[in-house]
Structure formats: C-alpha cells, structure tokens
Amino acid sequence: MKDFVVPRSTPYKRIFVMNQLKQIHAYTVRNGIDYTDTLVLKLLEIPNIPYAHNLFDLIPKPTVFLYNKLIKAYSSHGQHHQCLSLYTRMSLQRCVPNERSFTLLFSACASLSSPRLGQMIHSRFVKSGLALDGFAETALVDMYAKLGMLACARQQFDEMRVRDIPTWNAMIAGYARSGDLERALELFGLMPNRNVVSWTTMISGFSQNGQYSKALQVFLQMEKERDVKPNEVTIASVLPACANLGALEIGERIEEYSRRSRFFENSHVSNAILEMYARCGKIDIARRVFDEIGSRRNLCSWNSMIMGLAVHGRCREALNLYEQMLTVGIRPDDVTFVGLILACTHGGMVSKGRQLFQSMEPNFSIAPKLEHYGCMVDLLGRAGELEEAYDLIQDMPMKPDNVIWGALLGACSFHGNIKFAEKAAESLFELEPWNPANYVILSNIYASGGRWDGVAKLRKVMKGGKITKAAGYSFIEERGQVHMFIVDDKSHPRSHEMYALLDGFYTKVRLCRDESYCFSELEEMQF
C-alpha cells in the first residue's frame, strides 16, 4: 500500500484506481487487516470525499493529521460547514488540533462569511496555548480581512514580527475590497517585495471601485518590473479599465500578450477582451472574438456581445443573437434584458421592448430591477410616450432613483414637455440637490417653452445654493499612455506645446477660403 500512487490524469484512470481501492478495502475487511488510514488518504487524492469520510467514521480515534487532511479536502471543494463539523467532532473526541488545523479553520470561517464563527475559532486558538506560525498568522489576517473586520486584521498584521508577501497581500486585499484604496496603496508602497498577486490586487481594487485610470497606471508600472509578469487574473482585471477609458492601443497590446501567453483560453480573459473591443467601438472585432470563443462561450460572453451590439445601434443583430442564445440552451439573466431593452431603445422598437420587459418574470423568473425600469423609461420617453413612462415610474415596486428620473427629464428635454419635466426635476432636486445638470436641463426646457420666469427662478436657486456646473473632462490615449484634460487645463507638462498647436490650427482654419484649400492645409499639418 505504501508504494500505491494515485495518478492524477483522465477520469477513466481515476475510475480504474477507485475500483482498485475498493478491491483493497474488501480484501482488508475479509482478512482483518487495518489499512483504513491509508485508504482514506488515497481516496482523498482521487478525490472521493464521501467514500473517504465513510471510512474515516470507522476509525475509533483518528489522528489530528487525518482530521486535517479531511478538513482540507472539504475546504478545497467549498464544503466549509463540514470543516467546522469536523472540528466539533475533534473536540468531542478530545483530539487536540494543531496550528495546521486552525489555519484551515480560519480559511473556512472566512469563506462562510461568519464573523461570529471566526472570532470563536480565534478564541479557541488563543486558549489552546499554541503559538501562531507564519501560515496561521496569515490565515488569521486573511480571515478578518475577508470578513470586513479590518481593525482586527490590521491589529494582527501589526503584531506580526515577520510578514511574508501573502500576509501583505491579504491585508491590502482587505482594504481594496472595502473600498479603502488609499490605505491599500499606502501598504502596497511599504512592501519590501511584491509578487504578481500584490500588483493584481491593486489593479483589481482600483478597477472594481471604478478608478480605471489608476488601475491602468498601476498596470503600466507593473510592466516595467523585470521579475513580475501579468497572469490571467491581472489581464482580466486591467482590461475593464481599458474598456472604460477607451484605451484601445493598450488593450490591443494586452490582447497580444494574452494570446502569446496562452491566456486567451481562459474564459475570464477572452470575455474581457471581447468587452474591451465592444466598449472601445470596435464592434466587428468584438464579434470576431465572440465567434472565436466558440463552444467556450458562457452567459457573460453572450451578454457582452448583445450589449455591445445594442450600444452600437445594431439592434436587430442584438435581438437575433438573443434568439440564438435561447436556441443553444443559454438561459438569460437580468443583465441580458438590460442589453435587449437598450437595443430596443436605440432601434425605436417600443412594442418589442414592452414584450421583452413583460416576459422577464413569467418566462424566466427574473424580477425587473431599477436598471430595467430605467431602460423602459428611456425607451418610452424617447418615443414620446411620456405619460406611460411616468405611470411606469409610479407603479414601480421600489423607489425610483436619480437614473430613473434623469431618463424622464432627458426625454422631456427632447420633446419639450414642461409638465413631466417639473415632476422629474422635483424628485431629482431632492435626491441630488448638489447636481447642477438637473437645474440646467430644466432651465433649458423652460427657455425653449418661453417660460423665462422659470429660468430666472432656477438661476436664483442655483446662485443661492452656490450650485455651479463642474468642468467636463476627457481622456486621450497617446502612445500607450492615457491623459486626462479638463476645460482650460494647463497642468499637463507639455500643455504649452498643445496650446501652440491649437493656436496654429485655429489660425489655419481662419485662413481657409474654400474647401479645397482647407483640406490641403490640414493634410500638411503634423499632429
């Protein structure tokens, strides 16, 4: 039995090995040989946890080593309640857990999202008199960080005499997960050494919290490191930043690296590439990527493609893709219907939009969310069905937010409807009194309708409340770098060159006398 090795290969070989182990088990039972411990360990290697647990139950007093092996197996397969159950059994059988036991239990508590259990296991550990080794300390920091108990995590972190990279990563990930990216970045800067997980944690943290520019900056800084190479998680984390910033050149370079490193086969990476092209306006390339993913397409792939087609006004293609999706047996979710109703909005297909919206709950058990109501209000509003849009808002099962009322106000602006514009604006003033855009839109609607008294009243309110319109800004990608500009911005180190170029451009435009001269002059300019 000691020389028996379980091969980790094809399912057929595992079945063959399983049959061999069953034969050995039968042989030991018939001959009164006790190989139970060894059989349990071999079964966990296959793995066949239920069979292993059944044999484990036959052992009168299992060793702590065997307990740890079974706890680890359950933890690896996401059955964390079983880990705590085994710990309870250990206590009843007076089997003293060791540092490894508690390391595994800390991880189980983190996955169960139970602060009470986490604190209880930590308390048991302290009472046991065991000393924390490096693995247990890191697991404890990670547990408290994942449970959102950052003060406890930081206390454990600060008390550690020796911190390895995983410990730093666990603390940084905790801050990033909670949205405290300032502290995460501060710790990141203090790290004596960093690995790919460290960099990816920061990139992912910024990206998931909507700070896409900073996510991209960290990635570009990471690329300069000689000893660290991005992995699949890094790529899947930075591509959404490229998508949201429109950083197409960097996105293309990342795609090339992904294919060269064989990361494209990872569904998260391929889906992120697909979405990046769709969001950057390259919808045909996105479609080619979608087709290339082929049989590996999941719901995320279909949703990204449907949404991309919808945003680019290719409404019929989006709806046809939905029908194809149903044909191959992919069940839609709430995100799918956001894309579909958006497609109807861009295509002016009010009846189809109503039909899709009304099919969500009866056909797919998907209760419409705020996003779906927002899309429907936008669809109806653009089509001029303002009264129906307002009635839909009134009948919503949840309280409408600023996006819902904003969609109605935008539609009123397009159609010049003062009645519903006032209702929408009144709600928006309560929800976001600091937002000048709502005052400006309503003021423009009043002006278009000749209601100058309303315009004057709004200006007085804005002046009294010190409500000013925020400066707009733009992102521009140039040679693999993303730059942000605001109105009259002179903070860029090369701003004097830019303004000189613009002045030259304006001078050329003023000198244009006819179309042919204008075009010939513009072609000569070197941007």
Side-chain angles (χ1 to χ4, degrees):
M1 285 292 293
K2 290 183 179 179
D3 297 327
F4 185 81
V5 178
V6 177
R8 298 183 181 276
S9 51
T10 65
Y12 301 104
K13 287 187 178 180
R14 286 196 291 270
I15 292 170
F16 173 74
V17 172
M18 187 65 224
N19 289 333
Q20 281 189 315
L21 289 175
K22 286 181 179 179
Q23 291 172 13
I24 294 170
H25 182 209
Y27 177 82
T28 59
V29 171
R30 284 196 303 270
N31 293 276
I33 304 170
D34 188 7
Y35 272 155
T36 311
D37 288 25
T38 308
L39 282 169
V40 168
L41 294 174
K42 297 302 179 185
L43 286 164
L44 291 176
E45 289 181 35
I46 292 178
N48 188 329
I49 301 177
Y51 197 155
H53 199 155
N54 287 336
L55 288 184
F56 180 86
D57 290 339
L58 299 175
I59 303 172
K61 290 186 177 181
T63 62
V64 66
F65 174 78
L66 211 56
Y67 264 113
N68 288 346
K69 283 291 185 180
L70 192 55
I71 291 172
K72 182 182 179 183
Y74 275 122
S75 180
S76 300
H77 288 79
Q79 300 184 48
H80 304 292
H81 284 289
Q82 288 282 5
C83 301
L84 275 298
S85 177
L86 283 166
Y87 171 69
T88 302
R89 180 173 166 180
M90 286 178 77
S91 302
L92 293 174
Q93 290 189 335
R94 299 186 183 281
C95 178
V96 181
N98 57 19
E99 293 88 346
R100 178 61 174 161
S101 311
F102 282 104
T103 300
L104 293 168
L105 292 169
F106 291 149
S107 298
C109 291
S111 299
L112 288 170
S113 302
S114 173
R116 184 182 64 83
L117 283 174
Q119 288 178 311
M120 183 194 75
I121 295 297
H122 185 196
S123 175
R124 295 280 181 88
F125 178 83
V126 173
K127 290 178 181 178
S128 71
L130 293 168
L132 282 167
D133 62 10
F135 294 107
E137 285 181 316
T138 298
L140 188 57
V141 170
D142 186 54
M143 179 192 76
Y144 279 128
K146 286 180 177 176
L147 293 174
M149 303 171 69
L150 294 175
C152 294
R154 187 59 187 260
Q155 181 181 344
Q156 295 299 322
F157 179 84
D158 290 338
E159 289 175 359
M160 292 176 65
R161 293 182 180 179
V162 179
R163 307 183 190 103
D164 56 12
I165 293 179
T167 312
W168 287 86
N169 290 345
M171 195 66 243
I172 291 170
Y175 281 131
R177 199 179 297 111
S178 69
D180 193 347
L181 291 163
E182 186 176 341
R183 288 194 180 182
L185 191 59
E186 179 187 354
L187 274 186
F188 181 77
L190 294 173
M191 288 184 74
N193 296 293
R194 305 185 185 106
N195 61 10
V196 64
V197 177
S198 315
W199 289 94
T200 302
T201 299
M202 285 308 308
I203 294 167
S204 176
F206 280 124
S207 187
Q208 290 176 3
N209 285 276
Q211 298 188 34
Y212 303 112
S213 181
K214 290 184 179 180
L216 201 54
Q217 286 174 14
V218 174
F219 176 78
L220 295 174
Q221 185 182 349
M222 176 188 178
E223 283 191 316
K224 298 175 184 177
E225 297 290 320
R226 294 181 179 180
D227 301 329
V228 183
K229 296 294 182 184
N231 60 18
E232 295 101 320
V233 183
T234 318
I235 300 304
S237 299
V238 72
L239 280 171
C242 296
N244 282 276
L245 294 173
L248 180 60
E249 289 180 21
I250 299 175
E252 289 174 331
R253 180 159 53 77
I254 292 172
E255 182 203 5
E256 183 183 346
Y257 171 81
S258 300
R259 291 183 181 276
R260 194 168 62 248
S261 303
R262 301 186 64 83
F263 293 161
F264 186 80
E265 298 170 7
N266 181 293
S267 61
H268 296 289
V269 173
S270 54
N271 286 337
I273 292 172
L274 162 62
E275 185 179 12
M276 183 271 296
Y277 278 119
R279 295 286 293 271
C280 288
K282 298 292 184 179
I283 193 64
D284 291 327
I285 298 178
R287 185 57 193 257
R288 286 205 297 270
V289 172
F290 177 81
D291 293 337
E292 186 181 353
I293 295 172
S295 60
R296 295 185 294 109
R297 288 190 291 243
N298 55 21
L299 180 58
C300 180
S301 316
W302 291 91
N303 284 346
S304 294
M305 196 66 245
I306 289 172
M307 185 70 75
L309 290 168
V311 169
H312 285 80
R314 293 163 67 161
C315 316
R316 294 290 178 186
E317 289 182 60
L319 295 174
N320 290 339
L321 200 64
Y322 171 63
E323 295 299 330
Q324 184 184 341
M325 171 182 160
L326 296 178
T327 302
V328 298
I330 302 292
R331 190 176 178 84
D333 66 355
D334 56 313
V335 178
T336 315
F337 282 98
V338 170
L340 293 170
I341 300 172
L342 188 63
C344 294
T345 301
H346 285 283
M349 296 179 282
V350 179
S351 298
K352 183 63 177 177
R354 284 198 198 100
Q355 177 192 334
L356 288 165
F357 181 75
Q358 292 165 3
S359 73
M360 290 175 61
E361 200 148 15
N363 294 358
F364 302 102
S365 301
I366 300 172
K369 297 181 179 178
L370 270 171
E371 296 90 337
H372 304 102
Y373 282 100
C375 289
M376 282 302 298
V377 169
D378 192 26
L379 169 64
L380 295 168
R382 291 193 189 200
E385 304 288 347
L386 297 172
E387 188 166 354
E388 184 181 348
Y390 180 74
D391 290 341
L392 181 65
I393 295 174
Q394 297 298 104
D395 294 337
M396 284 172 55
M398 70 284 288
K399 187 177 180 180
D401 64 357
N402 59 319
V403 176
I404 301 286
W405 289 115
L408 181 61
L409 183 61
C412 291
S413 175
F414 182 77
H415 293 285
N417 189 301
I418 295 177
K419 174 185 173 183
F420 290 112
E422 289 178 329
K423 293 179 182 293
E426 183 180 351
S427 297
L428 285 167
F429 294 158
E430 291 181 9
L431 289 169
E432 43 182 27
W434 44 264
N435 189 349
N438 302 320
Y439 295 89
V440 172
I441 293 172
L442 182 59
S443 177
N444 291 339
I445 295 172
Y446 279 143
S448 298
R451 288 276 305 275
W452 301 108
D453 57 327
V455 174
K457 182 181 177 181
L458 284 175
R459 286 182 179 175
K460 186 177 180 180
V461 171
M462 290 183 71
K463 186 176 181 180
K466 296 182 179 180
I467 301 168
T468 56
K469 191 175 185 302
Y473 60 88
S474 302
F475 286 106
I476 299 175
E477 182 187 19
E478 190 266 337
R479 296 181 184 178
Q481 294 287 331
V482 176
H483 307 273
M484 187 179 83
F485 296 92
I486 61 173
V487 177
D488 291 329
D489 190 5
K490 296 182 180 179
S491 61
H492 196 279
R494 299 182 64 186
S495 61
H496 63 286
E497 297 178 54
M498 299 174 190
Y499 280 106
L501 181 62
L502 285 172
D503 290 341
F505 174 76
Y506 292 144
T507 302
K508 294 283 186 181
V509 170
R510 292 192 194 99
L511 292 173
C512 290
R513 290 291 181 265
D514 55 57
E515 187 175 316
S516 60
Y517 176 78
C518 182
F519 277 119
S520 64
E521 286 291 292
L522 288 174
E523 286 173 356
E524 291 177 7
M525 293 183 67
Q526 299 296 318
F527 285 87

